[in-house]
Amino acid sequence: MDTEDMKPVEAIYSLGISHNKFGLPLPDGTTYPEWATNYSGERALEFITHFDRVRDRDWEQCSFLDLGCSEGSTTFELSQMGSVVFGVEGREDGICRANVIRSVLGSENTHFSVGNIDDEASYRKVDGVFNAGVLYHLEDPLACLKRTAESARLFVYLDTGHAPRSETEQQNSKFVANFGNRYTLDYEGLELDVVDFAEPKNKSEVQGDGLRRGPRSGIGNDNSVWLSHDSAIALMAKLGFPFHETIKEYPHIPRLRTVFFRTEPRPTTFDGKYTWPLPETLPRNEAIRRTCQRDIEFLRGTGHPVIVLGRGSLLSIIGGELRDAGVQVSEMVVLPDMPVSKGMMNQLTKDKSGFIVLAVDDVVKMARNVGILNRFDYVFTSFALARK
């Protein structure tokens, strides 16, 4: 990417509130979003490690498809061997963020588009498909896996929730209240075990009560269908991927990561060293310190007032430090000393807008609650994170 096409890191302040729990390192040593809970790049490394076992051409000649790419974190991580990666996402604001981050990173071999995973046009012929965190939000997972298999020349990475394998597993699931009817579906004579899963009832993306639909929920449906793990394996075999390995399991959901190969894979040899690595991820404390500094410089430079939202001494400390740094504080909103639901946050911030600074201990949860609202331009969490 030409230098003149690249954007400064400060471009992130135009992106609204991120909904991504997977963080990404930026060129200035900070991360986006700074309050994300996962910066490991673990799934991309798993994908590349296992794809390498059937790879039959140079990395630069390989192409991948990232289904439900959100804001592009994993899309960028998948590109670190020089392969071309296409990210498709059903929510336009996610793609807007991905494209800005692309310009900040100068990533030439990642490409993003808005598209519904239920739409055949969202798929393309590639060497490998990354299908993670999306299948279990669909009403028709069979169609998605069929298109995934048709798109992938060599390899599929599947990370998804599965129908519980026993009554005990279902009762121990964090989503036990969401599970519904258990039944079978037929796919060309193959009997597949599935269970209904309740998505949010209000299917509108923009909702009349001041909230938006959860950005990590399904799009346009109030029910999704979860395949059992055995059924997913059987279906993928029928679709041309007879070799598989289950590489990780989270029984409290239940959720499993499984890799599928069209041909028998070789032993693992990838050494984890990327040809075109992303910027270095600094130690957490240093990344947050740099974020605080950048946030102060941005707010002071623009003169944009902020609303500080928080509790107790942290509210007064952060509010005071912002004023001392030359940042205009327009209002201090006191949160009750109890868990604050999305609905309560909606009422407390009604008729407010602009930039918001969080001064709370439970900063990750509160950032997500603020993000579900349709009224704020950006949320600053670095000042609270610096005190954790």
Side-chain angles (χ1 to χ4, degrees):
M1 182 177 290
D2 293 337
T3 303
E4 58 265 26
D5 295 329
M6 294 179 64
K7 294 183 178 180
V9 171
E10 288 74 18
I12 65 171
Y13 296 116
S14 68
L15 296 181
I17 299 176
S18 173
H19 303 115
N20 199 355
K21 69 178 184 179
F22 297 101
L24 198 69
L26 298 179
D28 66 349
T30 65
T31 52
Y32 179 81
E34 71 271 10
W35 51 266
T37 55
N38 189 326
Y39 295 90
S40 69
E42 178 183 72
R43 296 190 302 179
L45 178 59
E46 290 172 348
F47 179 102
I48 290 171
T49 297
H50 291 286
F51 173 80
D52 188 50
R53 300 170 66 188
V54 289
R55 180 171 61 90
D56 58 3
R57 57 181 66 166
D58 291 343
W59 282 106
E60 291 81 0
Q61 296 177 310
C62 295
S63 60
F64 307 137
L65 175 62
D66 181 3
L67 293 172
C69 69
S70 185
E71 299 172 5
S73 296
T74 306
T75 317
F76 296 118
E77 292 167 349
L78 292 172
S79 74
Q80 293 179 96
M81 293 304 294
S83 306
V84 175
V85 190
F86 302 94
V88 61
E89 165 62 37
R91 292 186 167 94
E92 186 174 3
D93 61 333
I95 292 300
C96 289
R97 294 188 187 97
N99 278 321
V100 170
I101 298 300
R102 178 180 185 268
S103 68
V104 169
L105 293 173
S107 177
E108 292 185 324
N109 53 339
T110 52
H111 307 276
F112 296 97
S113 60
V114 179
N116 194 310
I117 304 305
D118 287 327
D119 186 350
E120 190 173 356
S122 296
Y123 297 78
R124 64 175 68 223
K125 299 293 184 181
V126 290
D127 296 298
V129 174
F130 184 82
N131 187 324
V134 64
L135 188 72
Y136 60 171
H137 287 305
L138 304 178
E139 290 183 284
D140 190 355
L142 278 59
C144 176
L145 286 183
K146 181 174 184 293
R147 290 168 179 153
T148 295
E150 291 171 346
S151 299
R153 186 174 70 91
L154 297 173
F155 177 78
V156 171
Y157 178 104
L158 182 64
D159 176 10
T160 188
H162 290 284
R165 289 163 289 193
S166 67
E167 180 63 25
T168 299
E169 188 171 65
Q170 178 162 323
Q171 291 303 315
N172 290 336
S173 168
K174 62 183 289 187
F175 295 117
V176 60
N178 295 75
F179 291 121
N181 294 328
R182 191 96 184 216
Y183 53 99
T184 59
L185 293 174
D186 177 82
Y187 181 83
E188 298 182 358
L190 185 66
E191 291 294 312
L192 303 171
D193 181 31
V194 301
V195 65
D196 284 334
F197 183 90
E199 298 276 348
K201 291 298 182 184
N202 190 334
K203 295 186 284 186
S204 299
E205 285 295 306
V206 178
Q207 302 181 359
D209 56 1
L211 304 175
R212 63 169 289 172
R213 184 174 171 90
R216 304 191 68 82
S217 63
I219 298 178
N221 59 307
D222 59 10
N223 184 74
S224 56
V225 177
W226 290 27
L227 279 163
S228 71
H229 190 228
D230 286 345
S231 291
I233 291 169
L235 178 57
M236 288 299 292
K238 189 175 183 67
L239 293 171
F241 287 82
F243 303 96
H244 79 276
E245 292 180 17
T246 300
I247 57 176
K248 191 147 294 187
E249 180 173 351
Y250 300 91
H252 67 289
I253 295 180
R255 179 169 178 161
L256 295 97
R257 297 180 188 173
T258 310
V259 289
F260 296 92
F261 309 90
R262 199 175 284 279
T263 58
E264 186 170 3
R266 301 180 293 270
T268 301
T269 59
F270 183 68
D271 61 6
K273 297 179 181 178
Y274 295 127
T275 307
W276 300 99
L278 291 170
E280 179 187 3
T281 302
L282 297 181
R284 185 77 168 141
N285 288 345
E286 175 61 17
I288 293 300
R289 185 193 68 78
R290 294 191 184 196
T291 305
C292 287
Q293 182 179 6
R294 191 195 64 212
D295 288 347
I296 287 289
E297 291 173 356
F298 171 78
L299 290 169
R300 188 167 50 205
T302 61
H304 200 297
V306 299
I307 299 170
V308 184
L309 183 73
R311 298 187 184 96
S313 60
L314 201 56
L315 178 63
S316 58
I317 290 171
I318 290 178
E321 289 181 349
L322 290 171
R323 291 190 179 99
D324 290 344
V327 176
Q328 181 182 349
V329 177
S330 62
E331 187 176 357
M332 305 272 277
V333 178
V334 180
L335 293 175
D337 191 18
M338 65 176 69
V340 177
S341 66
K342 297 179 181 71
M344 188 182 299
M345 179 68 76
N346 189 25
Q347 291 302 313
L348 287 168
T349 61
K350 192 174 182 179
D351 300 324
K352 303 183 190 303
S353 61
F355 287 164
I356 191 163
V357 172
L358 292 182
V360 292
D361 291 322
D362 53 342
V363 62
V364 174
K365 179 181 178 181
M366 297 306 297
R368 291 173 177 169
N369 283 354
V370 170
I372 210 76
L373 308 176
N374 275 320
R375 60 181 65 115
F376 293 109
D377 297 327
Y378 196 83
V379 60
F380 295 85
T381 62
S382 64
F383 310 111
L385 288 169
R387 289 161 177 79
K388 288 182 71 66

